[in-house]
Amino acid sequence: MGGINVIELEIVADHESASARVAGCIVEQVRREPASVLGLATGGTPERTYELLVEKVRAGHLSFSQATTFNLDEYVGLQPAHPQSYHAYMRSRLFGEADFDSKRTHLPDGTADDLAKAGEQYEALIADAGGIDLQLLGLGANGHIGFNEPGATEDSRTRVVDLTEETIAANARFFEARDDVPRRALTMGIATILEAREIVLIATGESKAEAVERAVRGPVASQMPASFLQQHPNVTFVLDEAAASLLGSRA
């Protein structure tokens, strides 16, 4: 197990402020290095961040034309055209709204005949791109990052995972019925995430407060996957006051 580092905390008033701060981190990275390799997340939390980035591009203040992207995960069994696939999420919220080169945007292939091989190929693509410069993460209420659910190991790589009932319930709001929610996903592993040169995690809302507190203050343990981020030398948690509410005066 690697050494323990202090996670940098940026605590702001609300979700809008957190989204603006995270968008600013991505803008700074791409302006500094136009050919950056970005790791991207999906879900409700980063939506506003992506809206702000699209606004920058449309205003002529930012270009992603030279950037390469790798998303954290994709559901197993959903075709890229499915409206709830993460391929569709990224197209509608970012890739199709800004000046990305479609050949440089990547998501795991959850429809592959050989999912294990698809995971290995995804790892090879990341390596061929030179690794991820800046990885954006969200945080599940159970501490998952990507779809690395409790029990994920530090050495895990892109692979198929079974989603917990808690995660399935949380994602049900995006589907017509809970039974429609996929029960498996292809996700980057903990080791893959930790190889990024810089990591920015955004968490907002009271429902994330316990996971934030355990990830930042608790022991590094597989039952709290986000706690592995304590071992990375360059991690920032951008939190609103609600998500940071259990950190106390030590934050």
mmCIF file of all heavy atoms in Angstrom, residues 91-120:
data_model
loop_
_atom_site.group_PDB
_atom_site.id
_atom_site.type_symbol
_atom_site.label_atom_id
_atom_site.label_comp_id
_atom_site.label_asym_id
_atom_site.label_seq_id
_atom_site.Cartn_x
_atom_site.Cartn_y
_atom_site.Cartn_z
ATOM 1 N N ARG A 91 -22.281 12.623 -25.360
ATOM 2 C CA ARG A 91 -22.602 13.309 -26.616
ATOM 3 C C ARG A 91 -23.519 14.505 -26.379
ATOM 4 O O ARG A 91 -23.305 15.577 -26.932
ATOM 5 C CB ARG A 91 -23.286 12.341 -27.602
ATOM 6 C CG ARG A 91 -22.373 11.419 -28.345
ATOM 7 C CD ARG A 91 -23.070 10.789 -29.551
ATOM 8 N NE ARG A 91 -24.317 10.142 -29.189
ATOM 9 C CZ ARG A 91 -24.419 8.872 -28.771
ATOM 10 N NH1 ARG A 91 -23.324 8.147 -28.647
ATOM 11 N NH2 ARG A 91 -25.590 8.345 -28.492
ATOM 12 N N SER A 92 -24.557 14.296 -25.578
ATOM 13 C CA SER A 92 -25.565 15.343 -25.413
ATOM 14 C C SER A 92 -25.096 16.473 -24.512
ATOM 15 O O SER A 92 -25.541 17.613 -24.670
ATOM 16 C CB SER A 92 -26.862 14.741 -24.862
ATOM 17 O OG SER A 92 -26.675 14.226 -23.557
ATOM 18 N N ARG A 93 -24.194 16.188 -23.584
ATOM 19 C CA ARG A 93 -23.796 17.201 -22.607
ATOM 20 C C ARG A 93 -22.455 17.863 -22.896
ATOM 21 O O ARG A 93 -22.200 18.964 -22.414
ATOM 22 C CB ARG A 93 -23.792 16.601 -21.200
ATOM 23 C CG ARG A 93 -25.196 16.293 -20.696
ATOM 24 C CD ARG A 93 -25.160 15.418 -19.470
ATOM 25 N NE ARG A 93 -26.497 15.187 -18.935
ATOM 26 C CZ ARG A 93 -27.337 14.264 -19.420
ATOM 27 N NH1 ARG A 93 -26.970 13.513 -20.439
ATOM 28 N NH2 ARG A 93 -28.542 14.106 -18.877
ATOM 29 N N LEU A 94 -21.607 17.191 -23.669
ATOM 30 C CA LEU A 94 -20.281 17.766 -23.881
ATOM 31 C C LEU A 94 -19.737 17.532 -25.285
ATOM 32 O O LEU A 94 -19.498 18.487 -26.016
ATOM 33 C CB LEU A 94 -19.298 17.205 -22.836
ATOM 34 C CG LEU A 94 -17.917 17.848 -22.791
ATOM 35 C CD1 LEU A 94 -18.000 19.325 -22.447
ATOM 36 C CD2 LEU A 94 -17.011 17.129 -21.795
ATOM 37 N N PHE A 95 -19.544 16.286 -25.679
ATOM 38 C CA PHE A 95 -18.850 16.019 -26.940
ATOM 39 C C PHE A 95 -19.567 16.618 -28.143
ATOM 40 O O PHE A 95 -18.933 17.168 -29.039
ATOM 41 C CB PHE A 95 -18.677 14.511 -27.150
ATOM 42 C CG PHE A 95 -17.820 13.833 -26.117
ATOM 43 C CD1 PHE A 95 -17.954 12.466 -25.889
ATOM 44 C CD2 PHE A 95 -16.873 14.530 -25.379
ATOM 45 C CE1 PHE A 95 -17.158 11.819 -24.947
ATOM 46 C CE2 PHE A 95 -16.077 13.893 -24.431
ATOM 47 C CZ PHE A 95 -16.230 12.532 -24.216
ATOM 48 N N GLY A 96 -20.886 16.511 -28.166
ATOM 49 C CA GLY A 96 -21.639 17.028 -29.302
ATOM 50 C C GLY A 96 -21.911 18.513 -29.239
ATOM 51 O O GLY A 96 -22.425 19.097 -30.209
ATOM 52 N N GLU A 97 -21.557 19.137 -28.114
ATOM 53 C CA GLU A 97 -21.827 20.560 -27.906
ATOM 54 C C GLU A 97 -20.569 21.413 -27.978
ATOM 55 O O GLU A 97 -20.656 22.637 -28.034
ATOM 56 C CB GLU A 97 -22.503 20.765 -26.536
ATOM 57 C CG GLU A 97 -23.811 20.004 -26.369
ATOM 58 C CD GLU A 97 -24.858 20.455 -27.367
ATOM 59 O OE1 GLU A 97 -24.995 21.675 -27.569
ATOM 60 O OE2 GLU A 97 -25.541 19.592 -27.954
ATOM 61 N N ALA A 98 -19.410 20.784 -27.963
ATOM 62 C CA ALA A 98 -18.136 21.499 -28.014
ATOM 63 C C ALA A 98 -17.302 20.922 -29.153
ATOM 64 O O ALA A 98 -17.749 20.053 -29.894
ATOM 65 C CB ALA A 98 -17.405 21.387 -26.675
ATOM 66 N N ASP A 99 -16.079 21.409 -29.301
ATOM 67 C CA ASP A 99 -15.285 21.096 -30.503
ATOM 68 C C ASP A 99 -14.345 19.911 -30.305
ATOM 69 O O ASP A 99 -13.185 19.940 -30.721
ATOM 70 C CB ASP A 99 -14.509 22.335 -30.948
ATOM 71 C CG ASP A 99 -13.504 22.816 -29.906
ATOM 72 O OD1 ASP A 99 -13.657 22.466 -28.717
ATOM 73 O OD2 ASP A 99 -12.573 23.556 -30.285
ATOM 74 N N PHE A 100 -14.851 18.840 -29.717
ATOM 75 C CA PHE A 100 -14.038 17.636 -29.546
ATOM 76 C C PHE A 100 -13.875 16.901 -30.871
ATOM 77 O O PHE A 100 -14.783 16.887 -31.705
ATOM 78 C CB PHE A 100 -14.690 16.690 -28.535
ATOM 79 C CG PHE A 100 -14.571 17.138 -27.116
ATOM 80 C CD1 PHE A 100 -15.504 18.003 -26.572
ATOM 81 C CD2 PHE A 100 -13.524 16.692 -26.326
ATOM 82 C CE1 PHE A 100 -15.406 18.417 -25.252
ATOM 83 C CE2 PHE A 100 -13.415 17.095 -25.000
ATOM 84 C CZ PHE A 100 -14.351 17.970 -24.473
ATOM 85 N N ASP A 101 -12.721 16.280 -31.054
ATOM 86 C CA ASP A 101 -12.489 15.373 -32.170
ATOM 87 C C ASP A 101 -13.021 14.007 -31.746
ATOM 88 O O ASP A 101 -12.521 13.405 -30.789
ATOM 89 C CB ASP A 101 -10.985 15.302 -32.463
ATOM 90 C CG ASP A 101 -10.630 14.357 -33.598
ATOM 91 O OD1 ASP A 101 -11.501 13.577 -34.034
ATOM 92 O OD2 ASP A 101 -9.462 14.387 -34.035
ATOM 93 N N SER A 102 -14.039 13.514 -32.429
ATOM 94 C CA SER A 102 -14.680 12.264 -32.010
ATOM 95 C C SER A 102 -13.697 11.097 -31.977
ATOM 96 O O SER A 102 -13.895 10.137 -31.224
ATOM 97 C CB SER A 102 -15.854 11.934 -32.937
ATOM 98 O OG SER A 102 -15.411 11.759 -34.269
ATOM 99 N N LYS A 103 -12.641 11.170 -32.773
ATOM 100 C CA LYS A 103 -11.653 10.089 -32.772
ATOM 101 C C LYS A 103 -10.822 10.084 -31.493
ATOM 102 O O LYS A 103 -10.125 9.103 -31.202
ATOM 103 C CB LYS A 103 -10.728 10.214 -33.983
ATOM 104 C CG LYS A 103 -11.424 10.058 -35.336
ATOM 105 C CD LYS A 103 -10.417 10.127 -36.461
ATOM 106 C CE LYS A 103 -11.082 9.990 -37.823
ATOM 107 N NZ LYS A 103 -11.973 11.140 -38.104
ATOM 108 N N ARG A 104 -10.876 11.176 -30.736
ATOM 109 C CA ARG A 104 -10.075 11.286 -29.514
ATOM 110 C C ARG A 104 -10.909 11.106 -28.241
ATOM 111 O O ARG A 104 -10.395 11.274 -27.143
ATOM 112 C CB ARG A 104 -9.380 12.652 -29.462
ATOM 113 C CG ARG A 104 -8.338 12.888 -30.553
ATOM 114 C CD ARG A 104 -7.813 14.317 -30.474
ATOM 115 N NE ARG A 104 -6.808 14.610 -31.477
ATOM 116 C CZ ARG A 104 -5.490 14.496 -31.297
ATOM 117 N NH1 ARG A 104 -5.036 14.063 -30.131
ATOM 118 N NH2 ARG A 104 -4.647 14.788 -32.262
ATOM 119 N N THR A 105 -12.189 10.817 -28.401
ATOM 120 C CA THR A 105 -13.048 10.601 -27.230
ATOM 121 C C THR A 105 -13.294 9.113 -27.063
ATOM 122 O O THR A 105 -13.641 8.423 -28.017
ATOM 123 C CB THR A 105 -14.384 11.353 -27.373
ATOM 124 O OG1 THR A 105 -15.095 10.867 -28.515
ATOM 125 C CG2 THR A 105 -14.147 12.852 -27.510
ATOM 126 N N HIS A 106 -13.120 8.614 -25.853
ATOM 127 C CA HIS A 106 -13.186 7.175 -25.608
ATOM 128 C C HIS A 106 -14.058 6.856 -24.395
ATOM 129 O O HIS A 106 -13.995 7.556 -23.375
ATOM 130 C CB HIS A 106 -11.789 6.611 -25.356
ATOM 131 C CG HIS A 106 -10.800 6.909 -26.439
ATOM 132 N ND1 HIS A 106 -10.021 8.048 -26.443
ATOM 133 C CD2 HIS A 106 -10.467 6.234 -27.561
ATOM 134 C CE1 HIS A 106 -9.249 8.056 -27.526
ATOM 135 N NE2 HIS A 106 -9.505 6.957 -28.218
ATOM 136 N N LEU A 107 -14.840 5.813 -24.517
ATOM 137 C CA LEU A 107 -15.579 5.235 -23.404
ATOM 138 C C LEU A 107 -15.410 3.723 -23.464
ATOM 139 O O LEU A 107 -15.221 3.154 -24.548
ATOM 140 C CB LEU A 107 -17.079 5.558 -23.464
ATOM 141 C CG LEU A 107 -17.500 7.003 -23.203
ATOM 142 C CD1 LEU A 107 -17.574 7.797 -24.489
ATOM 143 C CD2 LEU A 107 -18.841 7.062 -22.471
ATOM 144 N N PRO A 108 -15.495 3.048 -22.318
ATOM 145 C CA PRO A 108 -15.436 1.585 -22.359
ATOM 146 C C PRO A 108 -16.570 1.020 -23.219
ATOM 147 O O PRO A 108 -17.646 1.614 -23.315
ATOM 148 C CB PRO A 108 -15.617 1.190 -20.884
ATOM 149 C CG PRO A 108 -15.189 2.400 -20.110
ATOM 150 C CD PRO A 108 -15.598 3.566 -20.952
ATOM 151 N N ASP A 109 -16.315 -0.140 -23.831
ATOM 152 C CA ASP A 109 -17.291 -0.783 -24.702
ATOM 153 C C ASP A 109 -18.088 -1.811 -23.917
ATOM 154 O O ASP A 109 -17.682 -2.963 -23.779
ATOM 155 C CB ASP A 109 -16.585 -1.439 -25.896
ATOM 156 C CG ASP A 109 -17.557 -2.072 -26.878
ATOM 157 O OD1 ASP A 109 -18.781 -1.986 -26.661
ATOM 158 O OD2 ASP A 109 -17.085 -2.653 -27.867
ATOM 159 N N GLY A 110 -19.229 -1.378 -23.404
ATOM 160 C CA GLY A 110 -20.061 -2.267 -22.604
ATOM 161 C C GLY A 110 -20.849 -3.276 -23.409
ATOM 162 O O GLY A 110 -21.574 -4.101 -22.833
ATOM 163 N N THR A 111 -20.728 -3.232 -24.738
ATOM 164 C CA THR A 111 -21.426 -4.197 -25.593
ATOM 165 C C THR A 111 -20.475 -5.205 -26.230
ATOM 166 O O THR A 111 -20.892 -5.996 -27.071
ATOM 167 C CB THR A 111 -22.203 -3.467 -26.713
ATOM 168 O OG1 THR A 111 -21.279 -2.775 -27.570
ATOM 169 C CG2 THR A 111 -23.181 -2.462 -26.118
ATOM 170 N N ALA A 112 -19.225 -5.173 -25.830
ATOM 171 C CA ALA A 112 -18.236 -6.079 -26.422
ATOM 172 C C ALA A 112 -18.582 -7.541 -26.136
ATOM 173 O O ALA A 112 -19.115 -7.870 -25.071
ATOM 174 C CB ALA A 112 -16.849 -5.762 -25.871
ATOM 175 N N ASP A 113 -18.275 -8.412 -27.089
ATOM 176 C CA ASP A 113 -18.492 -9.850 -26.877
ATOM 177 C C ASP A 113 -17.586 -10.380 -25.773
ATOM 178 O O ASP A 113 -17.978 -11.258 -25.002
ATOM 179 C CB ASP A 113 -18.230 -10.615 -28.178
ATOM 180 C CG ASP A 113 -19.258 -10.323 -29.254
ATOM 181 O OD1 ASP A 113 -20.412 -9.992 -28.900
ATOM 182 O OD2 ASP A 113 -18.903 -10.412 -30.444
ATOM 183 N N ASP A 114 -16.383 -9.853 -25.712
ATOM 184 C CA ASP A 114 -15.413 -10.262 -24.691
ATOM 185 C C ASP A 114 -15.118 -9.034 -23.834
ATOM 186 O O ASP A 114 -14.276 -8.199 -24.182
ATOM 187 C CB ASP A 114 -14.144 -10.783 -25.365
ATOM 188 C CG ASP A 114 -13.146 -11.372 -24.376
ATOM 189 O OD1 ASP A 114 -13.197 -10.991 -23.187
ATOM 190 O OD2 ASP A 114 -12.314 -12.197 -24.797
ATOM 191 N N LEU A 115 -15.817 -8.916 -22.719
ATOM 192 C CA LEU A 115 -15.703 -7.714 -21.885
ATOM 193 C C LEU A 115 -14.344 -7.625 -21.195
ATOM 194 O O LEU A 115 -13.813 -6.530 -21.007
ATOM 195 C CB LEU A 115 -16.830 -7.680 -20.851
ATOM 196 C CG LEU A 115 -18.229 -7.459 -21.440
ATOM 197 C CD1 LEU A 115 -19.296 -7.753 -20.398
ATOM 198 C CD2 LEU A 115 -18.378 -6.032 -21.962
ATOM 199 N N ALA A 116 -13.781 -8.763 -20.831
ATOM 200 C CA ALA A 116 -12.453 -8.745 -20.207
ATOM 201 C C ALA A 116 -11.420 -8.198 -21.184
ATOM 202 O O ALA A 116 -10.573 -7.366 -20.821
ATOM 203 C CB ALA A 116 -12.071 -10.144 -19.737
ATOM 204 N N LYS A 117 -11.504 -8.641 -22.434
ATOM 205 C CA LYS A 117 -10.592 -8.146 -23.453
ATOM 206 C C LYS A 117 -10.825 -6.667 -23.709
ATOM 207 O O LYS A 117 -9.866 -5.897 -23.903
ATOM 208 C CB LYS A 117 -10.753 -8.946 -24.747
ATOM 209 C CG LYS A 117 -9.763 -8.566 -25.837
ATOM 210 C CD LYS A 117 -9.909 -9.455 -27.057
ATOM 211 C CE LYS A 117 -8.911 -9.073 -28.141
ATOM 212 N NZ LYS A 117 -9.059 -9.935 -29.343
ATOM 213 N N ALA A 118 -12.094 -6.250 -23.702
ATOM 214 C CA ALA A 118 -12.404 -4.833 -23.901
ATOM 215 C C ALA A 118 -11.773 -3.981 -22.810
ATOM 216 O O ALA A 118 -11.281 -2.869 -23.073
ATOM 217 C CB ALA A 118 -13.919 -4.621 -23.934
ATOM 218 N N GLY A 119 -11.751 -4.502 -21.583
ATOM 219 C CA GLY A 119 -11.103 -3.787 -20.493
ATOM 220 C C GLY A 119 -9.608 -3.667 -20.707
ATOM 221 O O GLY A 119 -9.016 -2.608 -20.491
ATOM 222 N N GLU A 120 -8.990 -4.750 -21.156
ATOM 223 C CA GLU A 120 -7.551 -4.724 -21.429
ATOM 224 C C GLU A 120 -7.226 -3.748 -22.552
ATOM 225 O O GLU A 120 -6.224 -3.017 -22.484
ATOM 226 C CB GLU A 120 -7.079 -6.132 -21.800
ATOM 227 C CG GLU A 120 -7.169 -7.138 -20.655
ATOM 228 C CD GLU A 120 -6.899 -8.558 -21.114
ATOM 229 O OE1 GLU A 120 -6.608 -8.747 -22.315
ATOM 230 O OE2 GLU A 120 -6.965 -9.483 -20.269
#
